[in-house]
């Protein structure tokens, strides 16, 4: 039997087998999933697919035939948790799964991307960096994100006026997206709030590869009375744009974390940036009056 005869025989056998096999009916879960995929992919070549991020998770309720949808929607309005999204079998529906992947990707981008250089220039920040050499070292060596080498310490000493009452710093932290989304709104509000208290801030440092305790070494270098660090927080699936303000009275290397005052969740879905700026200014004035910060302030 030559090669051609062998191929012909194999094709004949395969054809007979395929003809005898019955196509199984899809399960209920598969049917639901197929219907959902069809609904998401109905757009023609001339149409764009819907933007799944346009709908707030708090407004998304996919449970069919709910017992009390109104009560559940009231609950959802209070949290960005992924509840009431239903399922296909034991899995998420396609749209919630895509949204999960979208939010996860946004969180990764916030951590691994650097703050846009154009924003640093636009805001007239003076750039410095900790002893971290790159993003990988920053993520794996938190202690390096707290220290400056001699060259950067010299820039800090020349930029910040010695013995200043208030020093404001900006650091990338764990979310570049948080700085890009909030800093242009929070700083004008903060500056205006401080002016209302007859306080002024000078030049603002931008700290690359910044951890919160980096403000402590700056306190030692400048002998500032109060330091406020605006920094990107670790992103989650609810938002990748959350910024916090860490403040301390007379910060120094070795300062206990309990001595810091924190205003967190500064983002569009939390405390708005403009409102946060005014609140930060009032808090700084309270710290100056009490000469305390953190748990000692309350």
């Amino acid at each position: 039997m030559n090669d051609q005869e062998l191929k012909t025989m194999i094709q004949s056998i395969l054809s007979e087998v395929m003809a005898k096999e019955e196509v199984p009916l899809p399960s209920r879960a598969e049917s639901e999933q197929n219907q959902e995929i069809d609904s998401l992919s109905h757009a023609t070549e001339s149409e764009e697919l819907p933007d799944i991020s346009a709908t707030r998770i708090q407004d998304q309720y996919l449970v069919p035939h709910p017992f009390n949808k109104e009560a559940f929607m009231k609950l959802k309005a209070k949290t960005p948790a992924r509840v009431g999204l239903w399922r296909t079998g034991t899995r998420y529906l396609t749209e919630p799964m895509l949204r999960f992947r979208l939010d996860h990707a946004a969180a990764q981008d916030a951590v691994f991307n650097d703050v846009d250089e154009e924003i640093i220039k636009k805001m007239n920040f003076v750039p410095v960096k900790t002893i971290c050499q790159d993003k990988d070292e920053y993520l794996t060596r938190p202690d390096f994100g707290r220290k400056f080498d001699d060259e950067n310490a010299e820039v800090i000493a020349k930029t910040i006026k010695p013995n200043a009452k208030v020093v404001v710093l900006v650091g990338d932290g764990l979310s570049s997206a948080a700085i890009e989304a909030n800093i242009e709104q929070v700083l004008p509000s903060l500056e205006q709030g401080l002016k209302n208290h007859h306080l002024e801030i000078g030049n603002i440092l931008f700290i690359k590869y910044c951890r919160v305790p980096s403000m402590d070494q700056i306190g030692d270098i400048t002998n500032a009375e109060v330091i406020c660090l605006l920094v990107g927080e670790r992103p989650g699936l609810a938002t990748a744009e959350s910024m916090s303000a860490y403040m301390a009275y007379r910060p120094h290397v070795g300062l206990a974390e309990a001595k810091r005052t924190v205003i967190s969740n500064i983002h569009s879905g939390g405390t708005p940036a403009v409102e946060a700026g005014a609140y930060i200014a009032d808090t700084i004035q309270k710290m100056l009056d009490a000469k305390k910060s953190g748990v000692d302030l309350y």
Side-chain angles (χ1 to χ4, degrees):
M1 182 179 292
N2 56 36
D3 290 346
Q4 184 59 41
E5 290 174 336
L6 181 61
K7 288 180 180 179
T8 301
M9 183 180 70
I10 293 173
Q11 289 175 354
S12 176
I13 294 172
L14 289 175
S15 298
E16 291 179 5
V17 171
M18 294 294 291
K20 291 180 180 179
E21 285 185 349
E22 294 182 357
V23 179
L25 292 174
S27 66
R28 179 180 177 183
E30 290 171 336
S31 297
E32 290 177 355
Q33 188 174 30
N34 291 336
Q35 289 173 4
E36 188 193 4
I37 292 172
D38 289 341
S39 67
L40 286 174
S41 59
H42 74 281
T44 65
E45 292 182 358
S46 61
E47 295 175 330
E48 293 185 0
L49 290 172
D51 181 2
I52 59 176
S53 65
T55 303
R56 296 193 320 150
I57 288 180
Q58 290 93 328
D59 299 329
Q60 193 175 46
Y61 187 71
L62 305 178
V63 177
H65 312 300
F67 179 74
N68 191 339
K69 182 176 179 179
E70 290 184 4
F72 211 104
M73 292 304 294
K74 288 181 181 179
L75 177 124
K76 281 181 66 71
K78 300 179 185 298
T79 174
R82 295 164 193 270
V83 292
L85 300 184
W86 205 234
R87 62 187 185 276
T88 294
T90 59
R91 301 182 181 184
Y92 279 124
L93 298 176
T94 302
E95 185 174 349
M97 175 56 75
L98 292 175
R99 179 62 180 267
F100 179 93
R101 295 181 66 179
L102 173 68
D103 291 340
H104 184 256
Q108 286 184 309
D109 287 346
V111 172
F112 288 104
N113 288 343
D114 293 327
V115 174
D116 190 345
E117 293 288 341
E118 292 302 315
I119 290 180
I120 298 173
K121 293 177 182 177
K122 180 180 178 180
M123 302 298 293
N124 294 317
F125 295 150
V126 178
V128 293
K129 81 176 188 69
T130 59
I131 62 173
C132 298
Q133 297 303 308
D134 52 39
K135 186 71 74 168
D136 286 341
E137 190 168 66
Y138 169 71
L139 294 173
T140 56
R141 290 296 304 267
D143 54 320
F144 282 10
R146 306 171 182 177
K147 303 173 185 176
F148 299 94
D149 59 20
D150 292 342
E151 181 181 349
N152 282 276
E154 185 177 350
V155 173
I156 293 167
K158 290 180 178 179
T159 302
I160 304 299
K161 182 180 177 181
N163 305 308
K165 270 192 171 298
V166 180
V167 170
V168 175
L169 312 169
V170 178
D172 51 7
L174 286 167
S175 176
S176 60
I179 301 303
E180 294 175 356
N182 298 291
I183 201 65
E184 293 184 69
Q185 290 77 41
V186 75
L187 271 180
S189 175
L190 171 57
E191 289 177 334
Q192 184 58 52
L194 290 173
K195 284 182 181 180
N196 293 341
H197 292 293
H198 308 290
L199 297 169
E200 293 186 358
I201 55 176
N203 296 324
I204 298 176
L205 293 169
F206 175 81
I207 307 170
K208 189 173 184 178
Y209 306 140
C210 173
R211 297 282 179 173
V212 172
S214 63
M215 65 192 292
D216 298 345
Q217 185 178 350
I218 294 175
D220 285 340
I221 294 171
T222 64
N223 196 36
E225 193 165 355
V226 171
I227 291 183
C228 171
L229 171 64
L230 302 170
V231 64
E233 286 284 14
R234 181 182 291 106
L237 294 174
T239 181
E241 298 181 349
S242 182
M243 186 175 73
S244 288
Y246 286 82
M247 295 163 280
Y249 185 81
R250 298 290 184 191
H252 56 273
V253 173
L255 181 74
E257 291 302 312
K259 302 293 185 180
R260 303 189 205 278
T261 297
V262 185
I263 297 172
S264 61
N265 289 306
I266 302 171
H267 59 90
S268 60
T271 301
V274 174
E275 180 182 334
Y279 184 45
I280 293 167
D282 290 343
T283 303
I284 288 173
Q285 182 60 58
K286 289 179 181 178
M287 292 167 60
L288 289 169
D289 292 340
K291 300 187 182 305
K292 298 175 182 177
S293 59
V295 294
D296 296 335
L297 189 62
Y298 302 100

